[in-house]
């Protein structure tokens, strides 16, 4: 599970950073924590929008890509430091990466309070509509007199404190799962059992007796079926092409194409780029896998839901925006049902595209502009004057 | 006549909180002198090793030190006080501590209906911290909602009942300054606590 830890202070030395480093080290079997500093984030100023600066975009990207966020806050003047406040203002002004994100709060302080008041402020701030994080209730971890708390190896000295921290972290992992269920299309129901995501059955076209998880599944399957390749002609509806021509034709499509059959087995993708250069990563050795092996456990319910929409004919296509590529791309995953002449479900054509260039081209060609709607004041009012960040305008 | 400092709680180029302080300055010119101070040019707070304030902070601090009272007008960002105002208070608490036992009145304006209610509550809690220890006037919430529509072309508040509400609070504040100056028992304790406080190495 990928977690981002945010150090709530811009000080050169911070016990809150030490605390996050300790969490990352101590619980590395449970969670994968990347600790991020905020010292380089400029002071928020709505008259000088720096949302697109590298430092803010970096935070944005990492938060969007994480399963959850842990914020460690000191306490300055009964509240959170201005440095952390400023970060949250940037992350609620033009971009909203914390929206719906599971967040856990911890804090350390020099005095006995252990950041008690600032943690309460932080909860209220994270609850503001522009931020809209989902903060884990209870499990308040306050580390007071922090200058006495760590040993030379930077481990927490007190065993009971560490145990309590571990119980908080474990609850946070569960909390993340609960939040994911909350956000999943069908609410509380776990739908993963509605589909055979491990492809244990077979259909007419299933190539049997080959281990679906073998890296060379494609080669073995081709061998077994005497599959044609190269310059061999294939008759199609409507036309005739060589296998090479079909390949080049599919590679030239302005999208990443993936085919999974109705048995939920991944059979094809238009392999042109390596995984790290793709909008939705695929690796050549994954071809042949059942869909369960292509997704993390937590996604099973959503994957099953999507397939059910297509298999039952409820939908012909399900689309979802995956906002992990920054503001210069708008990546859409479309799951299109593949059906035969009778309308029977044969599988999924998943095509992944960045549609932003298409929109830009359309606007340029027609001379039109995108304008904000009147309902959401976030982008409208806030660019001009102060008094409220867009976030709060919505609610006031 | 009392001398006040008004602090605009934002770094935004255009601000209805600035407008509100300018209105207060003008409307009560017969009762008090007020200088409207900006915080937009202060550097972002970052604990200086020597605890010395930057020049801009020192200037603001001197003005506060000399004033009979301070009026802070705050917007509301994310249910709280803007980072830039927090940063200002951090500078003051970490370096010169001019707000100790200083009478403070809080106002606030927002575009929506709520008029910065949550951020004013946060600001009160912050000003009560031992390292700031201002004397905040109690029971005197002045919330200016729908602030974009609140002023006429001369910068005056349009709503007469809102003006009366402000007059009541402002008159009370002038008295509050006198009363506060009579409260001396806790002063030496506040000073000591504030000087002893430490956020060291948080």
């Amino acid at each position: 599970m990928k977690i981002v830890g945010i150090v709530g202070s811009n000080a050169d030395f911070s016990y809150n950073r030490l605390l996050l480093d300790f969490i990352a080290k101590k619980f590395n079997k449970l969670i994968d924590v990347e600790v991020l500093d905020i010292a380089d984030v400029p002071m928020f100023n709505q008259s000088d929008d720096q949302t697109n600066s590298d430092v803010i975009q970096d935070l944005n990207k990492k938060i969007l890509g994480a399963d959850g966020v842990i914020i460690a806050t000191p306490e300055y003047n009964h509240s959170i430091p201005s440095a952390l406040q400023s970060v949250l203002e940037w992350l609620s002004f033009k971009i909203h990466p914390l929206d719906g994100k599971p967040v856990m709060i911890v804090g350390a302080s020099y005095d006995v309070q252990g950041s008690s008041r600032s943690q309460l402020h932080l909860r209220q701030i994270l609850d503001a509509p522009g931020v809209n994080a989902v903060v884990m209730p209870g499990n308040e971890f306050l580390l007071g007199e922090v200058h006495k708390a760590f040993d030379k190896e930077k481990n927490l000295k007190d065993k009971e404190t560490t145990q309590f921290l571990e119980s908080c972290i474990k609850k946070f992992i569960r909390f993340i799962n609960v939040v994911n269920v909350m956000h999943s299309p069908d609410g509380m129901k776990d739908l993963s059992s509605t589909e055979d995501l491990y492809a244990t059955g077979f259909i007419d076209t299933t190539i049997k007796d080959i281990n679906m998880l073998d890296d060379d599944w494609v080669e073995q399957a081709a061998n077994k079926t005497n599959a044609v390749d190269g310059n061999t002609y294939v008759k199609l509806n409507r036309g005739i092409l060589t296998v090479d021509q079909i390949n080049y034709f599919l590679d030239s499509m302005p999208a990443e194409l993936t085919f999974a059959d109705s048995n939920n087995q991944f059979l094809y993708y238009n392999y042109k780029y390596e995984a790290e250069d793709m909008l939705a990563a695929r690796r050549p050795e994954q071809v042949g896998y059942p869909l369960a092996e292509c997704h993390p456990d937590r996604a099973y319910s959503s994957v099953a839901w999507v397939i059910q929409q297509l298999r039952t004919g409820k939908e012909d296509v399900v689309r979802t925006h995956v906002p992990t590529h920054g503001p210069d791309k708008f990546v859409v995953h479309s799951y299109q049902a593949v059906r035969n002449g009778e309308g029977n479900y044969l599988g999924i054509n998943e095509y992944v595209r960045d549609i932003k260039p298409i929109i830009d081209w359309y606007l340029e060609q027609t001379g039109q502009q995108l304008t904000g709607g009147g309902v959401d004041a976030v982008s409208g009012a806030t660019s001009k004057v102060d008094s409220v960040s867009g976030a709060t305008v919505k609610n006031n | 006549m009392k001398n006040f400092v008004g602090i605009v709680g934002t770094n935004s180029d255009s601000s209805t909180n600035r407008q509100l302080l300018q209105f207060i300055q003008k409307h009560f010119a017969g009762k008090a002198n007020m200088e409207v101070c900006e915080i937009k040019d202060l550097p972002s707070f970052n604990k200086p090793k020597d605890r010395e304030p930057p020049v801009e902070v020192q200037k603001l601090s001197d003005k506060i030190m000399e004033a009979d009272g301070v009026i802070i007008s705050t917007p509301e960002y994310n249910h709280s006080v803007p980072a830039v105002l927090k940063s200002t208070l951090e500078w003051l608490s970490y370096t010169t501590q001019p707000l100790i036992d200083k009478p403070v009145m809080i106002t606030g304006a927002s575009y929506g209906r709520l008029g910065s209610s949550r951020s004013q509550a946060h600001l009160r809690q912050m000003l009560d911290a031992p390292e700031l220890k201002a004397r905040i006037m109690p029971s005197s919430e002045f919330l200016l909602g729908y602030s974009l529509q609140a002023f006429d072309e001369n910068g005056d508040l349009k709503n007469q009942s809102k003006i009366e509400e402000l007059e009541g609070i402002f008159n009370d504040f002038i008295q509050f300054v006198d009363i506060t100056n009579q409260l001396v028992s806790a002063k030496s304790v506040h000073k000591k606590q504030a000087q002893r406080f430490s956020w060291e190495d948080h």
Side-chain angles (χ1 to χ4, degrees):
Chain A
M1 201 168 257
K2 185 106 197 82
I3 303 290
V4 160
I6 296 177
V7 182
S9 155
N10 61 356
D12 295 338
F13 175 82
S14 158
Y15 276 113
N16 280 286
R17 178 173 236 290
L18 221 56
L19 176 59
L20 284 176
D21 286 342
F22 174 72
I23 290 172
K25 182 174 68 174
K26 178 79 184 168
F27 306 116
N28 64 0
K29 291 209 177 73
L30 295 171
I31 45 177
D32 171 17
V33 183
E34 181 178 8
V35 180
L36 302 178
D37 278 307
I38 59 169
D40 297 331
V41 177
M43 175 60 73
F44 176 77
N45 185 337
Q46 62 183 47
S47 307
D48 180 16
D49 184 12
Q50 297 181 53
T51 304
N52 289 328
S53 65
D54 289 347
V55 55
I56 292 165
Q57 281 304 324
D58 189 51
L59 278 171
N60 183 41
K61 231 178 264 176
K62 287 187 169 152
I63 292 170
L64 283 174
D67 296 300
V69 175
I70 301 177
I71 303 179
T73 180
E75 178 166 311
Y76 289 3
N77 296 328
H78 288 183
S79 190
I80 67 168
S82 56
L84 178 56
Q85 185 93 348
S86 175
V87 168
L88 294 171
E89 284 166 6
W90 286 121
L91 299 183
S92 59
F93 183 50
K94 294 285 171 70
I95 50 175
H96 307 270
L98 286 163
D99 192 346
K101 190 70 64 182
V103 174
M104 172 178 170
I105 298 173
V106 297
S109 83
Y110 211 64
D111 61 13
V112 293
Q113 290 285 336
S115 74
S116 61
R117 276 90 51 119
S118 81
Q119 289 199 23
L120 288 179
H121 274 199
L122 184 53
R123 281 180 182 276
Q124 293 177 317
I125 291 163
L126 291 170
D127 212 22
V131 186
N132 211 26
V134 189
V135 187
M136 179 165 68
N139 302 288
E140 198 172 40
F141 185 81
L142 308 166
L143 188 61
E145 299 187 283
V146 69
H147 50 296
K148 301 177 192 162
F150 291 95
D151 66 18
K152 276 185 201 136
E153 276 75 50
K154 297 179 177 169
N155 293 317
L156 274 181
K157 284 188 211 162
D158 188 64
K159 219 173 166 187
E160 280 177 29
T161 308
T162 310
Q163 276 167 1
F164 176 63
L165 183 57
E166 180 170 345
S167 79
C168 293
I169 296 284
K170 282 183 172 162
K171 287 215 182 100
F172 186 48
I173 293 167
R174 286 192 182 179
F175 180 72
I176 290 172
N177 289 325
V178 170
V179 173
N180 286 338
V181 171
M182 201 169 88
H183 291 328
S184 77
D186 250 42
M188 291 304 291
K189 271 185 281 173
D190 179 357
L191 299 167
S192 52
S193 60
T194 58
E195 279 290 330
D196 178 17
L197 296 176
Y198 286 95
T200 56
F202 55 88
I203 52 177
D204 289 345
T205 47
T206 300
I207 303 162
K208 291 182 194 163
D209 305 322
I210 300 172
N211 184 354
M212 293 186 288
L213 296 176
D214 282 351
D215 285 356
D216 61 346
W217 180 87
V218 172
E219 283 67 30
Q220 290 184 51
N223 218 353
K224 182 155 190 205
T225 55
N226 297 316
V228 296
D229 63 5
N231 289 325
T232 312
Y233 287 97
V234 180
K235 185 166 184 286
L236 298 159
N237 175 31
R238 174 71 189 153
I240 181 161
L241 295 169
T242 67
V243 175
D244 279 344
Q245 283 175 318
I246 295 172
N247 270 323
Y248 291 130
F249 182 66
L250 291 171
D251 288 352
S252 73
M253 292 291 169
E256 295 170 9
L257 305 175
T258 298
F259 183 83
D261 68 15
S262 65
N263 190 35
N264 296 333
Q265 189 181 11
F266 172 23
L267 293 183
Y268 168 81
Y269 79 107
N270 58 345
Y271 173 41
K272 190 162 56 163
Y273 300 113
E274 297 308 323
E276 56 273 18
D277 296 323
M278 296 180 72
L279 296 171
R282 309 264 185 272
R283 286 176 281 111
E285 65 273 19
Q286 285 179 313
V287 179
Y289 279 17
L291 289 180
E293 298 294 340
C294 307
H295 296 90
D297 301 22
R298 68 188 148 79
Y300 286 2
S301 187
S302 313
V303 173
W305 181 81
V306 169
I307 299 170
Q308 278 288 300
Q309 304 307 299
L310 306 178
R311 190 187 295 278
T312 59
K314 223 182 207 172
E315 304 282 353
D316 278 319
V317 59
V318 176
R319 288 197 179 86
T320 175
H321 168 223
V322 180
T324 46
H325 292 82
D328 54 327
K329 285 192 170 65
F330 194 90
V331 175
V332 177
H333 293 220
S334 299
Y335 305 89
Q336 174 88 43
V338 178
R339 303 190 203 282
N340 65 11
E342 282 82 48
N344 295 320
Y345 177 75
L346 299 181
I348 299 184
N349 171 11
E350 179 182 359
Y351 54 96
V352 178
R353 278 186 303 181
D354 169 20
I355 65 163
K356 191 158 179 301
I358 302 167
I359 310 259
D360 288 346
W361 189 82
Y362 170 77
L363 296 175
E364 196 187 295
Q365 293 295 309
T366 58
Q368 297 190 67
Q369 286 184 331
L370 295 176
T371 57
V375 186
D376 182 351
V378 171
S379 47
T382 46
S383 54
K384 284 189 206 136
V385 202
D386 80 295
S387 22
V388 248
S389 71
T392 37
V393 175
K394 262 205 269 190
N395 231 26
N396 278 4
Chain B
M1 202 144 75
K2 297 277 189 287
N3 290 307
F4 293 148
V5 162
I7 296 178
V8 182
T10 171
N11 50 4
S12 178
D13 289 342
S14 69
S15 156
T16 50
N17 280 287
R18 186 176 295 124
Q19 270 185 296
L20 176 59
L21 286 176
Q22 284 163 347
F23 172 73
I24 291 173
Q25 182 184 42
K26 184 170 71 172
H27 191 75
F28 299 107
K31 290 184 173 168
N33 296 315
M34 184 169 86
E35 183 181 355
V36 177
C37 295
E38 297 288 347
I39 56 173
K40 59 182 176 183
D41 297 323
L42 302 190
S44 301
F45 176 73
N46 197 341
K47 286 189 283 186
K49 290 222 165 57
D50 54 5
R51 293 214 173 189
E52 288 299 317
V55 184
E56 300 89 338
V57 175
Q58 184 68 55
K59 273 190 201 156
L60 177 65
S61 175
D62 290 345
K63 284 178 186 166
I64 293 171
M65 209 69 108
E66 282 159 29
D68 296 306
V70 175
I71 300 174
I72 304 178
S73 198
T74 181
E76 180 168 309
Y77 288 1
N78 294 329
H79 293 177
S80 190
V81 172
V84 66
L85 179 54
K86 276 199 162 137
S87 170
T88 305
L89 296 175
E90 286 163 4
W91 277 121
L92 297 176
S93 59
Y94 199 77
T95 60
T96 50
Q97 304 185 324
L99 282 166
I100 296 173
D101 290 313
K102 186 68 67 182
V104 172
M105 168 177 155
I106 297 173
T107 63
S110 81
Y111 293 175
R113 188 187 302 155
L114 304 188
S116 77
S117 57
R118 278 91 49 115
S119 95
Q120 289 198 27
H122 273 199
L123 184 55
R124 279 180 181 272
Q125 292 178 316
M126 293 172 67
L127 289 167
D128 213 22
E131 56 269 33
L132 283 167
K133 225 44 185 175
R135 298 278 188 167
I136 316 141
M137 181 160 69
S139 313
S140 63
E141 208 170 39
F142 184 75
L143 307 169
L144 184 62
Y146 298 121
S147 60
L148 278 178
Q149 291 84 38
F151 298 95
D152 65 18
E153 63 274 18
N154 301 319
D156 294 329
L157 275 179
K158 289 189 219 163
N159 185 328
Q160 190 53 39
S161 70
K162 216 60 198 166
I163 293 177
E164 282 163 21
E165 185 188 333
L166 187 60
E167 284 171 347
I169 293 173
F170 192 86
N171 291 338
D172 278 355
F173 186 56
I174 290 175
Q175 283 200 37
F176 178 74
V177 170
D178 291 331
I179 295 167
T180 301
N181 290 333
Q182 291 166 28
L183 301 171
V184 290
S185 316
K187 274 190 181 173
S188 59
V189 180
H190 285 171
K191 280 244 160 62
K192 264 188 224 151
Q193 278 178 346
Q195 280 156 8
R196 226 181 25 229
F197 100 92
S198 175
W199 309 329
E200 280 334 276
D201 306 321
H202 275 39

